């Protein structure tokens, strides 16, 4: 890929771009107010965006509460997938969580999303339990994954 991709902290001006990616990627996307709330009022929330040509092409959110972090969501514009952007967002989120004192990080991923699970395992995540009927759009189970960051 010849394009320059920048990973940076999300700002309120990025919400429209993040919403566009969210709507491309998820059957039940988060609302504008959910993202604004995360940025303005959730003291535990940190979000990164991936940008190409001054356009948001991906994002990742992480909550850091005391010494534990949780990936809230991650998405990459389908036309930019398989180019290392998701991995760069996850690596940035892991570094961010570590900076704010997290010693372990968790996430949920659809049991059918093998590509994402493989990426997470590449980054050191291990499989934990299953959350039954976790996804509201089709009641698919979620694979819980963890990584220790010490």
């Amino acid at each position: 890929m010849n394009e320059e991709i920048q990973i940076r902290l999300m700002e309120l001006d990025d919400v429209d771009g993040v919403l566009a990616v969210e709507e491309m990627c998820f059957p039940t996307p988060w609302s504008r107010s959910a993202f604004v709330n995360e940025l303005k009022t959730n003291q535990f929330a940190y979000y990164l965006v991936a940008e190409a040509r001054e356009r948001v092409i991906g994002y990742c959110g992480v909550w850091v509460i005391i010494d534990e972090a949780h990936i809230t969501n991650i998405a990459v514009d389908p036309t930019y997938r398989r180019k290392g952007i998701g991995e760069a967002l996850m690596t940035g989120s892991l570094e961010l969580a570590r900076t704010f004192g997290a010693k372990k990080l968790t996430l949920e991923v659809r049991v059918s999303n093998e590509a994402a699970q493989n990426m997470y395992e590449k980054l050191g995540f291990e499989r934990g339990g299953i959350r039954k009927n976790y996804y509201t759009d089709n009641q698919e189970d979620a694979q819980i994954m963890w990584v220790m960051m010490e």
Side-chain angles (χ1 to χ4, degrees):
M1 182 168 68
N2 297 334
E3 277 183 88
E4 187 175 325
I5 307 296
Q6 179 186 3
I7 307 287
R8 61 174 174 75
L9 284 171
M10 182 177 165
E11 301 170 358
L12 279 173
D13 288 346
D14 296 318
V15 170
D16 285 341
V18 166
L19 279 172
V21 172
E22 177 84 356
E23 289 169 1
M24 280 185 250
C25 296
F26 298 116
T28 52
W30 280 22
S31 67
R32 172 182 305 282
S33 62
F35 283 107
V36 170
N37 182 61
E38 287 289 277
L39 293 175
K40 289 178 85 172
T41 63
N42 185 344
Q43 64 181 336
F44 306 111
Y46 303 92
Y47 281 76
L48 296 175
V49 293
E51 190 176 60
R53 299 184 190 148
E54 299 183 18
R55 183 173 77 82
V56 173
I57 59 167
Y59 71 93
C60 184
V62 61
W63 291 351
V64 182
I65 303 171
I66 308 173
D67 64 348
E68 192 171 303
H70 183 96
I71 296 293
T72 56
N73 44 15
I74 180 170
V76 175
D77 178 324
T79 60
Y80 283 89
R81 288 187 184 156
R82 306 201 64 78
K83 299 176 190 276
I85 296 163
E87 187 173 332
L89 285 164
M90 282 298 298
T91 299
S93 295
L94 285 163
E95 290 171 10
L96 196 58
R98 190 177 288 114
T99 297
F100 286 100
K103 299 196 182 330
K104 58 185 173 180
L105 185 142
T106 186
L107 57 79
E108 292 90 7
V109 58
R110 288 179 186 269
V111 293
S112 64
N113 192 343
E114 292 179 21
Q117 290 175 45
N118 290 338
M119 177 188 69
Y120 301 143
E121 286 176 339
K122 180 179 174 186
L123 293 171
F125 282 79
E126 296 179 5
R127 294 167 192 265
I130 298 286
R131 291 198 200 282
K132 291 298 218 180
N133 306 314
Y134 183 76
Y135 293 96
T136 57
D137 62 312
N138 66 357
Q139 282 63 57
E140 184 173 355
D141 295 346
Q143 174 69 59
I144 303 166
M145 300 185 80
W146 287 91
V147 65
M148 300 303 288
M149 300 192 302
E150 294 184 279

